[in-house]
Amino acid sequence: MSQSLLKPYPKLALKNRVVMAPMTRSRADNEQRKPVEMHALYYEQRASAGLIITEGSQVSKQAVGYIFTPGIHSKAQVEGWKNVTQRVHDKGGKIYIQLWHVGRISHPDFHNGELPLAPSAINPKAQSFTPNGFKDTVTPREMTKEDIKQTVADFKNAAANAMEAGFDGVEIHSSNGYLFHQFFSNCSNTRTDEYGGNTENKSRFFFEVLEAVKQVMPEDKIGVRFNPSLHGLFGITVDEETIPTFEYIIKRLNNYNLAYVHLSEPFTDVSNVPHAVTNIAEHFRPLYNGTLMINAGFTQESGNKVIADGLADLVAFGKPFISNPDLVERFQHNIPLTKWDNDTFYTQGEKGYTDYKKAELNKTN
Ligand SMILES: Cc1cc2nc3c(=O)[nH]c(=O)nc-3n(C[C@H](O)[C@H](O)[C@H](O)COP(=O)(O)O)c2cc1C
């Protein structure tokens, strides 16, 4: 039986519709926070994906909030990424980098004692994974207009660096409770200037970044990511303005010729959360004319179905790719998947990173 996931996606020149979702793996445990040989091997092993999206990579020193995450703001980091993109390309793969700013999901330990930045001075009451272990987040500093301008410039610079490093595109991480999501949400944005209040204002910073990034790379190589029904995680709560805000943003993105819009189904059960949408693909597909990527909790079966049903063009798989570097081949041959080990998601070294084996193919597969 033909599988929708395995069909090429000519619009983005992808050999199949199986995308590796962005996943932080905390292996850049070097002074410069640069990708090293281990990163190149990890991504190369997964190059049969139609598209790889890298782990979130900070656009500036200020943007960081987790230990040992790589950046894309320094020369050394660009050089490290060049090796990664080259190795993926040599195996016939395609790779985008996820551009990340965590905003208030950070800690002064990362910033020489200075406060993390956010739209408003509201503590997310979450935890930050600091060099000194998990710590409670603090009340961040409200960004000035100058901070906003600088951050727009940081994203633009990071996108230019991504092009220099040989990436096929970038994904702006506007999801999961990080900086852009903090601007979109009333629980984290109480600004009274042109960056807060109504929907247009709450999304102004995001569109400013998009416009800036467009200046340094082709629009059709830019992806964006949203998690509209995120609730009770990373300090974000859904209210009556949340879904209309995402509807506004996603409809407005029809004016752009983006690579894709990447949406997540709810990370938790939101069936009893007032104003949340339980079926994201179904809700947002009719609003967006371009390429829609869907993620979170998909299997081979449900991934094939969501495409066949016309609710998405591409499916991003996260955890299955951690433990199955050959996920595409396993789908092709209906080979059972290897279970992932949660304990090594964020540890350092090769264990649980580059040591998952490909399946042995034999005649019966
Ligand atoms: C170890 C790990 C790290 C993650 N890091 C990121 C990240 O850096 N950026 C991001 O947008 N999502 C991140 N996510 C979320 C995944 O992209 C994805 O949304 C989630 O795993 C659900 O998809 P799945 O059910 O296919 O795993 C991470 C998830 C995991 C398990």
Side-chain angles (χ1 to χ4, degrees), residues 28-82:
D29 55 336
N30 55 73
E31 191 75 15
Q32 293 143 312
R33 300 291 177 264
K34 63 176 184 190
V36 295
E37 172 56 28
M38 208 184 356
H39 294 80
L41 177 61
Y42 169 72
Y43 286 114
E44 172 190 79
Q45 288 172 338
R46 288 153 180 80
S48 59
L51 175 65
I52 292 170
I53 307 167
T54 71
E55 59 212 279
S57 304
Q58 57 266 9
V59 297
S60 65
K61 274 190 168 167
Q62 179 69 53
V64 73
Y66 293 79
I67 54 159
F68 304 142
T69 56
I72 178 74
H73 53 86
S74 76
K75 268 234 141 332
Q77 292 161 355
V78 170
E79 290 309 309
W81 283 121
K82 272 185 190 168

Side-chain angles (χ1 to χ4, degrees), residues 10-169:
K11 202 169 160 202
L12 297 183
L14 306 185
K15 60 196 174 198
N16 59 61
R17 291 149 186 258
V18 180
V19 176
M20 178 174 165
M23 282 180 293
T24 292
R25 303 302 313 276
S26 304
R27 260 66 179 187
D29 55 336
N30 55 73
E31 191 75 15
Q32 293 143 312
R33 300 291 177 264
K34 63 176 184 190
V36 295
E37 172 56 28
M38 208 184 356
H39 294 80
L41 177 61
Y42 169 72
Y43 286 114
E44 172 190 79
Q45 288 172 338
R46 288 153 180 80
S48 59
L51 175 65
I52 292 170
I53 307 167
T54 71
E55 59 212 279
S57 304
Q58 57 266 9
V59 297
S60 65
K61 274 190 168 167
Q62 179 69 53
V64 73
Y66 293 79
I67 54 159
F68 304 142
T69 56
I72 178 74
H73 53 86
S74 76
K75 268 234 141 332
Q77 292 161 355
V78 170
E79 290 309 309
W81 283 121
K82 272 185 190 168
N83 185 32
V84 173
T85 59
Q86 185 66 52
R87 296 273 288 278
V88 170
H89 290 154
D90 287 350
K91 293 273 181 203
K94 277 200 158 39
I95 181 163
Y96 280 33
I97 184 169
Q98 193 185 47
L99 304 182
W100 195 20
H101 193 309
V102 300
R104 62 184 192 162
I105 307 293
S106 187
H107 193 276
D109 285 5
F110 285 110
H111 310 291
N112 300 319
E114 302 276 316
L115 294 175
L117 298 183
S120 301
I122 304 170
N123 186 339
K125 300 218 163 69
Q127 290 234 304
S128 174
F129 192 3
T130 80
N132 309 310
F134 278 101
K135 285 198 175 177
D136 289 341
T137 52
V138 300
T139 302
R141 178 167 74 71
E142 175 175 315
M143 288 170 85
T144 62
K145 297 254 174 76
E146 203 40 54
D147 293 323
I148 291 177
K149 238 168 104 186
Q150 181 58 51
T151 308
V152 172
D154 290 340
F155 271 90
K156 183 177 172 181
N157 177 55
N161 285 345
M163 291 297 96
E164 193 194 330
F167 282 102
D168 298 290

Side-chain angles (χ1 to χ4, degrees), residues 19-27 42 53-57 66 69 98 100 171-176 178 225 227 234 262-267 294-299 315-322 340 342 344-346:
V19 176
M20 178 174 165
M23 282 180 293
T24 292
R25 303 302 313 276
S26 304
R27 260 66 179 187
Y42 169 72
I53 307 167
T54 71
E55 59 212 279
S57 304
Y66 293 79
T69 56
Q98 193 185 47
W100 195 20
E171 178 176 285
I172 298 174
H173 193 353
S174 32
S175 190
N176 297 355
Y178 298 114
R225 183 173 212 204
N227 193 339
F234 304 104
H262 181 180
L263 299 179
S264 293
E265 295 292 346
F267 279 3
I294 193 73
N295 164 254
F298 281 88
T299 60
V315 182
F317 294 87
K319 295 178 290 292
F321 256 116
I322 289 182
W340 54 84
N342 295 283
T344 49
F345 278 0
Y346 305 109

